[in-house]
Amino acid sequence: MNMTNNLHTLILYILYGDFGLLTIVPYFLFKILFPIITSFYLLQLFLLESDLLKILSFKLDKGLNKFGLSSNTLLPLLLGFGCVTVALGTLQLTENKRERRIAQILLCMIIPCSAQLVINTVLIFQTGKSYLMAYILVISFLFLISGYLLNRCFPGSSPPPKGSIQTYKRRYHFMFPKIWPLLCRSVGSSMAFLAETAVPFAVGNVIVSILSYCGLIHKLCMFTAPLFCNFLKLPEDAAAIFILSIIKKDLGAASLLALFSNGNFTEAQIFICTVMLTLFVPCLASMIILWKHERKWIAMVIWILCLLLSIMIGKVLCILLILP
């Protein structure tokens, strides 16, 4: 009888709990993710169809060179705001090994995927405009300084753009595309993205719910308490967020959203967590891409760099905000 009751309680928790299939999952997929993903795809298609992306790539080439990049890596970087895993796969088409390496590190270390970016934006908006501006400034500064340092660390230089300015101007010019076909394609791409995302996200939520129900997440929180509670001045629940982010970053961000809704975090702690999650280690899928296409030690170095940067920046923000 007790086993039946426990199973019934577990099923209810999986369906309606903090990470419920019928509560968090639909809310996240359709109310938060879908409209912003559609907007992202619409912007991306507009840039491609209007040739504006190619024009910008050529004009931004000199600026990108200061960070060890060129116009060839602009599209993968933009794709990273959709899905870092896809962007890493696209980078394999970049011939220049130096550029590819720098872009890989920046994608894994700084650029949040669309799902994570959406949740981070929602969280930061709830904490106030000052934290929103601070988040943008911190991430932008880290991107610029990281790119500059990587450009200094890796020997060599970026290749010049192919063709002269005159040739480029003759070949590409801005053309305003028809919006309705772009909108239809954006909605279709968004639905395909949601269909692909829904299953792993739901499975992840089920796993998290089971772990939470069985008390395993609490045990992990206790194990990592010295780091999150004493060193970073964050609640014990923060451990679960970062553990989930190792599997899939949007799972960690969605967990943070749920915990913030329950009042477990202060605004300052939410700000620190969103910055740390942005800088945190690549998700499992991204690591698989790196592991497949690069040397194993390079993938591990990138993973460790992301981990150390996230903890270091989290501690700096903790000191600056003077968390008790």
Side-chain angles (χ1 to χ4, degrees), residues 78-280:
L78 291 177
L79 285 175
F81 288 99
C83 179
V84 173
T85 306
V86 174
L88 289 172
T90 307
L91 269 178
Q92 303 311 312
L93 301 175
T94 303
E95 297 178 0
N96 189 288
K97 187 176 180 179
R98 178 177 180 271
E99 278 187 30
R100 187 169 70 248
R101 190 80 71 244
I102 292 174
Q104 283 172 342
I105 296 174
L106 291 176
L107 280 168
C108 293
M109 189 182 290
I110 308 291
I111 296 180
C113 66
S114 56
Q116 185 191 5
L117 184 62
V118 168
I119 303 176
N120 285 354
T121 304
V122 172
L123 284 167
I124 293 294
F125 263 117
Q126 293 182 23
T127 58
K129 294 181 180 179
S130 58
Y131 282 118
L132 175 62
M133 291 303 300
Y135 176 80
I136 294 172
L137 289 174
V138 168
I139 298 302
S140 300
F141 172 77
L142 289 173
F143 180 87
L144 295 175
I145 195 67
S146 298
Y148 177 80
L149 292 175
L150 289 170
N151 186 34
R152 293 286 184 177
C153 292
F154 287 93
S157 59
S158 300
K162 297 178 181 179
S164 63
I165 296 177
Q166 290 76 16
T167 304
Y168 198 87
K169 286 182 177 179
R170 286 197 302 268
R171 186 176 300 175
Y172 301 117
H173 59 279
F174 178 77
M175 299 179 296
F176 198 91
K178 295 181 180 179
I179 297 298
W180 179 249
L182 295 186
L183 184 59
C184 293
R185 289 167 61 187
S186 301
V187 172
S189 299
S190 299
M191 293 303 296
F193 180 85
L194 289 183
E196 184 180 346
T197 304
V199 174
F201 186 77
V203 171
N205 276 41
V206 171
I207 294 172
V208 173
S209 296
I210 294 172
L211 292 176
S212 178
Y213 183 82
C214 297
L216 293 178
I217 289 182
H218 178 70
K219 291 180 180 179
L220 287 173
C221 292
M222 295 298 294
F223 178 75
T224 55
L227 173 63
F228 290 99
C229 297
N230 301 332
F231 186 69
L232 295 172
K233 308 298 182 184
L234 297 174
E236 291 182 359
D237 295 333
I241 296 168
F242 290 95
I243 290 168
L244 292 174
S245 295
I246 296 175
I247 303 170
K248 209 168 186 295
K249 279 197 171 184
D250 53 348
L251 281 177
S255 303
L256 180 60
L257 180 62
L259 291 170
F260 179 65
S261 302
N262 295 337
N264 294 11
F265 286 72
T266 65
E267 291 183 351
Q269 289 171 337
I270 285 292
F271 170 68
I272 292 174
C273 282
T274 49
V275 173
M276 289 183 65
L277 280 175
T278 303
L279 306 175
F280 201 55

Side-chain angles (χ1 to χ4, degrees), residues 15 30 33 45 53 187-188 213 228 258 297:
L15 294 176
F30 295 103
L33 194 58
L45 287 171
L53 181 62
V187 172
Y213 183 82
F228 290 99
W297 68 269

